[in-house]
Amino acid sequence: HAFQNEDYVARDTFTSNKVDSTGMILGGWFETNQNSADAVIMLGPGSIATYDSITNSGHHAIRIANTDTLTAQYNYIANFGMSRYDAGGIYSYTGDSIINHYRLIDHNIILNSNQVSAGITGDLSEWGVYLDGFSNYTTITNNTSENCWTGGMLLINSDNVTIKNNTFYNCGYGLGYVNYDN
């Protein structure tokens, strides 16, 4: 990982960085760990990733998860999901035991997912913006997702989400919404 904060208490700012080629070696990460091969992981409350250029990511380019008030804004992301499936240019996860009040995903350019399939069974999805597992109260505005294999944006079990002024181009789907009941 280029940057990872797992203490869940620090407010971190990751800004104006260039991150290239993370998690690109097949088998060079823990295959059973869904958190492997991500470029930037923001977990501390109030953390911000902004004005970054993130290219050639093995899995998620930016993962915001497990806490509240996270921001991914004005980032350029190209070529994600290069060595792992089920990836997002910007991926958000909360889980049902964490109360999330606000997240912002705004003015990001997300280009070119890679459809990894060698030796993989199951979900091969690649989404520009990917809200997973109760990423409630998220605002997603002014983003562009282009050439994302499965689609521009996916919401799974996420409520009270504001989606406005986003552009999806040459993606499998524009928007997907899934609500699982247990």
Side-chain angles (χ1 to χ4, degrees):
H1 306 293
F3 179 79
Q4 179 173 353
N5 168 9
E6 288 201 14
D7 61 12
Y8 304 165
V9 293
R11 180 186 185 278
D12 294 307
T13 300
F14 190 73
T15 188
S16 302
N17 297 286
K18 181 177 179 182
V19 179
D20 187 19
S21 300
T22 55
M24 297 295 292
I25 299 171
L26 292 174
W29 29 262
F30 300 107
E31 289 189 34
T32 59
N33 184 340
Q34 184 64 10
N35 303 328
S36 293
D38 298 342
V40 175
I41 301 172
M42 304 297 286
L43 304 173
S47 292
I48 299 168
T50 187
Y51 295 104
D52 299 303
S53 173
I54 303 167
T55 55
N56 303 312
S57 302
H59 197 220
H60 308 304
I62 297 175
R63 179 165 63 101
I64 54 177
N66 298 345
T67 193
D68 196 18
T69 319
L70 299 168
T71 300
Q73 190 173 33
Y74 299 109
N75 296 291
Y76 172 81
I77 296 167
N79 308 322
F80 65 93
M82 301 299 288
S83 63
R84 296 209 55 180
Y85 67 99
D86 195 25
I90 298 176
Y91 174 84
S92 173
Y93 177 80
T94 300
D96 61 1
S97 64
I98 297 170
I99 297 172
N100 181 43
H101 295 99
Y102 184 74
R103 287 189 182 160
L104 176 64
I105 300 171
D106 179 60
H107 279 95
N108 298 285
I109 297 173
I110 305 165
L111 309 172
N112 308 325
S113 68
N114 182 43
Q115 183 61 24
V116 176
S117 61
I120 296 172
T121 59
D123 187 5
L124 302 177
S125 64
E126 306 280 341
W127 296 86
V129 176
Y130 188 159
L131 268 60
D132 198 358
F134 305 98
S135 292
N136 301 327
Y137 300 100
T138 300
T139 299
I140 307 166
T141 51
N142 307 304
N143 300 285
T144 298
S145 294
E146 181 177 333
N147 298 324
C148 296
W149 177 267
T150 312
M153 185 182 306
L154 175 64
L155 285 69
I156 299 177
N157 282 6
S158 298
D159 296 322
N160 297 302
V161 175
T162 300
I163 302 169
K164 186 175 177 182
N165 296 328
N166 296 283
T167 301
F168 311 125
Y169 179 76
N170 199 32
C171 298
Y173 296 96
L175 173 67
Y177 181 80
V178 178
N179 189 11
Y180 291 113
D181 184 19
N182 282 337

